[in-house]
Amino acid sequence: MPSEDSSTKNSRLDQIVADARRSQGRRQVTYRDRALKLYPHICARCGGEYAGKDLQNLTVHHKDHDHDNNPLDGSNWELLCGYCHDKEHGRYAEQHPDDHIPLETRSSEPLNRPFAALEALLKGKK
């Protein structure tokens, strides 16, 4: 295997850094990132405060339970700790039993296909 010259190595490194910066930019525009910028890092139910590594324990709860309803002002969100978030969804399931479709009537087609375009992306890397 031939060794790479320094300009090729620098070019690859520059590409890696550019890709990492683009990825960071995309992550920053997610509704979770926006919610964490808008609201104090406190659970809206129990009042627990989160910082540093513990921040991962805060989740974004959609008040209307519609994950596609993400207004830029954050009016449909509240930050909840994992425990309070689970409790809220349990309470919602009890109040809205018709929202849960019985297993036997569900489609066998998955709702989310996260790797659907993976093959095309990998072919583009060659």
Side-chain angles (χ1 to χ4, degrees):
M1 184 164 152
S3 65
E4 297 179 42
D5 64 8
S6 64
S7 65
T8 304
K9 286 181 184 178
N10 287 341
S11 176
R12 286 184 53 224
L13 182 58
D14 291 342
Q15 183 63 42
I16 291 169
V17 170
D19 288 346
R21 287 186 177 147
R22 270 193 301 278
S23 294
Q24 180 184 23
R26 281 189 295 253
R27 284 191 307 273
Q28 287 178 347
V29 297
T30 65
Y31 68 81
R32 183 174 194 281
D33 290 326
R34 289 195 318 250
L36 288 171
K37 288 178 184 175
L38 285 172
Y39 296 110
H41 300 161
I42 298 172
C43 176
R45 298 293 158 87
C46 69
E49 295 183 35
Y50 295 86
K53 290 182 180 181
D54 289 338
L55 197 58
Q56 68 186 357
N57 295 322
L58 271 182
T59 61
V60 178
H61 173 65
H62 289 80
K63 294 176 187 177
D64 68 358
H65 295 266
D66 179 0
H67 289 223
D68 294 325
N69 183 10
N70 293 305
L72 293 176
D73 67 355
S75 58
N76 188 38
W77 307 325
E78 61 185 346
L79 295 176
L80 299 178
C81 68
Y83 175 78
C84 290
H85 198 194
D86 288 346
K87 192 173 177 180
E88 173 62 28
H89 278 275
R91 182 174 29 243
Y92 182 82
E94 288 175 5
Q95 293 172 354
H96 301 89
D98 295 336
D99 286 358
H100 295 15
I101 302 168
L103 286 174
E104 52 274 1
T105 61
R106 291 184 185 173
S107 168
S108 61
E109 190 66 27
L111 298 175
N112 186 9
R113 301 181 58 97
F115 302 109
L118 183 60
E119 184 177 9
L121 289 171
L122 290 173
K123 285 181 181 176
K125 294 272 185 185
K126 290 182 180 179

